[in-house]
Amino acid sequence: MRIGFIGLGNLGSKLAGSLLRNGVDLVVRDLDEAVVRSFAERGATSAASPRELAERCDAVITCLPSPTVCAEVMEAPDGVFVGLGQGKLWLEMSTTDESEVRRLAALASERGAMPVECPVSGGCHRAATGNISIFCGGAREAFEAALPILAMMGRKILHTGPLGSASILKVVTNYLASVNLVSIGEAFAAAHQSGIDLSTAYEAIRISSGTSFVHETEGQVILNGSYDIGFTLDLVQKDMCLFMDLAERAALRLEVAPVVLEMFNDAATRYGSRALSPRVVQRCEEAVGAEFRAPGFPAELIDDEPEQPGCEVVIDRR
């Protein structure tokens, strides 16, 4: 099977790299010519347009920064849909709106293709090793067709149900991660101002009921001072707005989310929208006049779980 991958950003380049590592016949497309060249040097080929990529490939993967960008790539005159034909797969790995993914999936189905939404969770460091989790929404037949491809990129794969369900769950989990991140800043501030060593504070939180995936990962690069998780404030703003839209359609009155979004908006105003997302914690640092630093923490996250062959298809409890 020849696989096409569109969108070689911080996350997409890691996922596409896993495909290359598994010997896939890979065709890539990105606006960054330098990253395309780097893939060509490792054995991939490039396509001059999304249409050409779709024509040449049996499966097309998109991993793009926003629903708007994805729609442009899919629906442009030289877009994916023009080259997407009978029996081909379209795997949407972007974080997007569930109504938009259903709309585009319907257009893919009209062309005889099988659409599947496959957003991922776990961070770029886990995507780099094929240890990331993947939510998969779509018809069971399409999920089973996509599973061999997904198994090369992820460790835990959950079929969430019909199209749209995976995007909803991805937005929900990203919201929780954002709440965790701002709460870590306030927790470090309280510990620091109370005279607690931040290395000790990190370990106390890690082994307690207060821990979280975000604390155990992003907390480290905050204490190092690099803030580097390969994710930026504008992407958090986008994801938070997707969550707010989801809640509005469900007629939910939110109390926490509007406050958290305002904190990220303020951070984007202070540091720039393309600043790394953990820099939202700098707001707390500036408030107390101190940097939250401790020795021995890494500047960049590395997946320390050993690589294992195969994947785990997570079965839900229904």
Side-chain angles (χ1 to χ4, degrees):
M1 177 178 283
R2 177 177 290 162
I3 300 173
F5 203 109
I6 303 175
L8 302 172
N10 286 331
L11 176 62
S13 61
K14 310 295 191 303
L15 296 170
S18 289
L19 294 176
L20 266 186
R21 196 166 58 247
N22 281 276
V24 164
D25 183 0
L26 187 67
V27 183
V28 297
R29 168 77 184 165
D30 194 90
L31 297 179
D32 188 333
E33 294 181 1
V35 74
V36 171
R37 284 195 300 272
S38 73
F39 271 84
E41 291 167 359
R42 287 182 280 162
T45 57
S46 62
S49 68
R51 172 182 180 171
E52 180 194 322
L53 180 143
E55 288 173 341
R56 291 169 53 189
C57 296
D58 304 295
V60 176
I61 300 173
T62 48
C63 188
L64 299 162
S66 72
T68 301
V69 173
C70 186
E72 291 172 355
V73 167
M74 299 300 292
E75 298 182 282
D78 62 346
V80 169
F81 281 146
V82 185
L84 201 62
Q86 187 70 36
K88 295 191 176 186
L89 278 168
W90 171 45
L91 281 64
E92 167 62 301
M93 302 195 78
S94 317
T95 300
T96 187
D97 176 79
E98 95 276 4
S99 60
E100 178 66 0
V101 80
R102 283 197 293 261
R103 182 184 75 83
L104 293 176
L107 296 176
S109 296
E110 288 175 4
R111 289 158 173 79
M114 290 188 290
V116 190
E117 53 166 350
C118 316
V120 302
S121 183
C124 289
H125 66 298
R126 288 195 170 182
T129 62
N131 188 27
I132 204 159
S133 297
I134 305 177
F135 303 154
C136 189
R140 189 73 187 186
E141 178 187 7
F143 167 69
E144 291 176 354
L147 185 56
I149 301 173
L150 300 178
M152 291 185 278
M153 294 184 285
R155 178 77 57 81
K156 294 182 179 180
I157 301 171
L158 173 66
H159 184 219
T160 58
L163 276 160
S165 60
S167 290
I168 290 172
L169 290 169
K170 170 62 173 172
V171 167
V172 167
T173 57
N174 274 17
Y175 163 68
L176 289 171
S178 299
V179 172
N180 270 252
L181 182 54
V182 297
S183 69
I184 287 167
E186 294 187 344
F188 283 169
H192 180 274
Q193 293 301 96
S194 301
I196 301 294
D197 173 78
L198 289 183
S199 292
T200 304
Y202 174 87
E203 290 301 328
I205 295 168
R206 186 184 66 81
I207 65 173
S208 75
S209 59
T211 196
S212 67
F213 178 84
V214 174
H215 169 71
E216 293 181 20
T217 55
E218 298 184 36
Q220 296 191 62
V221 294
I222 291 168
L223 293 176
N224 171 274
S226 76
Y227 304 103
D228 188 7
I229 63 164
F231 203 74
T232 50
L233 289 168
D234 60 334
L235 295 177
V236 178
Q237 290 174 297
K238 182 260 294 184
D239 291 348
M240 286 293 301
C241 288
L242 288 173
F243 180 78
M244 301 281 278
D245 291 343
L246 176 67
E248 183 177 353
R249 289 194 295 272
L252 295 175
R253 178 178 174 271
L254 300 175
E255 298 181 68
V256 176
V259 176
V260 173
L261 177 57
E262 178 53 37
M263 294 169 77
F264 279 100
N265 288 341
D266 180 59
T269 298
R270 295 188 192 202
Y271 316 122
S273 62
R274 296 298 294 166
L276 293 162
S277 58
R279 288 187 65 185
V280 69
V281 172
Q282 272 190 268
R283 298 171 68 257
C284 296
E285 294 178 334
E286 291 171 3
V288 301
E291 294 182 334
F292 302 154
R293 302 291 179 266
F297 289 93
E300 184 178 0
L301 294 175
I302 298 173
D303 184 14
D304 56 6
E305 291 191 19
E307 291 194 55
Q308 300 175 8
C311 69
E312 175 189 352
V313 180
V314 182
I315 305 300
D316 63 30
R317 296 179 182 273
R318 288 175 296 176

